[in-house]
Amino acid sequence: MLKLGVNIDHVATLREARYRGLTHGEPSPTEAARRCEVAGAHGITAHLREDRRHIQDRDLWQLRAAVQTRLNFEMANTPEIVAFALKLKPEIVCLVPERRQEVTTEGGLDVVANEQALTETRKRMNDAGIDVSLFINAIPTQIQAAAFVGAQFIELHTGRYAEYFADESECEAELQRLISGAQQAHALGLRVNAGHGLNYENLRRLHRVPHLVELNIGHSIISRALTTGLSTAVKDMLQLMSGYPGVSA
Ligand code: PXP
């Protein structure tokens, strides 16, 4: 069965828009994670960015205590965040680029250029019992380098596939790259996840990519939750207002 990891960063983005700098506020990423798990999600993904633009340190500690499925910690390969991950002990980390020089032209991690540093971090994580995934584009040299690093997983970057979904030939070309990337990774003994930009429209076509273990999806699920949940939210507020004793004009 293809598994779903829900990325809850966007829940924190919404909270930070109103409560930045405070230690409380809504919506709660942990509450969102609980609801995702109850609905059947197989894992929860959160990215602690170096600039802390959405998820905060405290969110990760709360998530660590609350998540019953699998916590996937997205992170840059920097000393501060590596030390944090080793304390947090998620089930898996996904190493992602945050700085320009760590990024390939298409947007994934440049494993070829950072092979040694990534291998060191991979070993430290594995020694602590944490699996390692590398977020990369479906480029043969990057996939080969991910195997050299000794990662357990790669996460294929589906951003370009999603971006060009309406353009038949570009989308098909990108799909073919994802298909051969997944085949190559599988042959090298890597397990294959995928994510970025996947939504309710473009997901079905991705079924053609073989060997997929898990999809990490955030924005489209959180966006849909806003519209599907809006009528209940409005009704609940109207209910609270209904006891108003004053006389309205
Ligand atoms: N996978 C990785 C490595 C990501 O960085 C992101 C975006 O935070 C996602 C998956 C989810 O992307 P989206 O929010 O577009 O579904």
Side-chain angles (χ1 to χ4, degrees), residues 96-114 118 135-143 145 155 157 160 174:
V96 298
E98 277 187 32
R99 300 209 181 98
R100 277 291 348 137
Q101 66 268 27
E102 297 167 334
V103 185
T104 60
T105 38
E106 289 84 0
L109 198 59
D110 191 346
V111 187
V112 174
N114 296 282
L118 291 167
F135 183 51
I136 58 175
N137 288 103
I139 299 171
T141 49
Q142 297 294 342
I143 295 167
E155 180 171 326
H157 195 322
R160 191 174 161 83
E174 189 56 24

Side-chain angles (χ1 to χ4, degrees), residues 11 24 33 72 95 115 117 126 148 151 168 181 204 206 218 228 231 243:
V11 177
H24 66 280
N72 173 20
L95 295 165
E115 206 174 293
N126 285 172
F148 284 144
E168 180 54 36
R204 277 308 255 196
L206 204 74
T228 56
S231 58

Side-chain angles (χ1 to χ4, degrees), residues 30-237:
T30 308
E31 180 55 27
R34 276 200 203 97
R35 285 171 187 262
C36 292
E37 288 188 319
V38 168
H42 304 93
I44 299 297
T45 299
H47 182 183
L48 185 67
R49 293 186 60 97
E50 289 183 88
D51 62 12
R52 305 299 198 271
R53 78 169 65 145
H54 39 53
I55 292 286
Q56 306 296 311
D57 300 40
R58 71 178 189 280
D59 293 322
L60 263 316
W61 298 114
Q62 286 172 14
L63 286 166
R64 179 61 297 179
V67 166
Q68 306 279 317
T69 53
R70 207 173 50 256
L71 181 60
N72 173 20
F73 181 50
E74 260 185 42
M75 55 176 277
N77 189 23
T78 65
E80 183 215 354
I81 304 287
V82 168
F84 188 95
L86 289 169
K87 276 193 230 137
L88 182 71
K89 293 200 186 301
E91 279 70 27
I92 180 167
V93 294
C94 180
L95 295 165
V96 298
E98 277 187 32
R99 300 209 181 98
R100 277 291 348 137
Q101 66 268 27
E102 297 167 334
V103 185
T104 60
T105 38
E106 289 84 0
L109 198 59
D110 191 346
V111 187
V112 174
N114 296 282
E115 206 174 293
Q116 199 185 340
L118 291 167
T119 302
E120 275 166 32
T121 298
R122 194 277 302 158
K123 283 186 185 148
R124 293 182 69 191
M125 294 298 161
N126 285 172
D127 287 349
I130 303 167
D131 277 342
V132 172
S133 178
L134 303 176
F135 183 51
I136 58 175
N137 288 103
I139 299 171
T141 49
Q142 297 294 342
I143 295 167
Q144 181 65 64
F148 284 144
V149 163
Q152 283 70 50
F153 288 83
I154 57 167
E155 180 171 326
L156 289 175
H157 195 322
T158 51
R160 191 174 161 83
Y161 161 78
E163 192 180 336
Y164 287 93
F165 188 68
D167 180 330
E168 180 54 36
S169 64
E170 271 299 324
C171 179
E172 184 57 30
E174 189 56 24
L175 196 55
Q176 288 305 327
R177 276 190 279 273
L178 292 168
I179 290 169
S180 34
Q183 284 164 340
Q184 180 194 356
H186 180 72
L188 288 165
L190 291 159
R191 305 190 77 203
V192 186
N193 296 335
H196 202 93
L198 298 178
N199 61 30
Y200 294 84
E201 198 189 350
N202 64 30
L203 193 102
R204 277 308 255 196
R205 201 168 176 186
L206 204 74
H207 283 207
R208 285 170 56 198
V209 179
H211 310 302
L212 290 177
V213 176
E214 179 165 307
L215 301 179
N216 280 308
I217 307 181
H219 188 269
S220 65
I221 292 178
I222 304 305
S223 302
R224 177 169 287 220
L226 280 185
T227 43
T228 56
L230 206 48
S231 58
T232 308
V234 169
K235 282 178 194 155
D236 288 351
M237 188 57 79

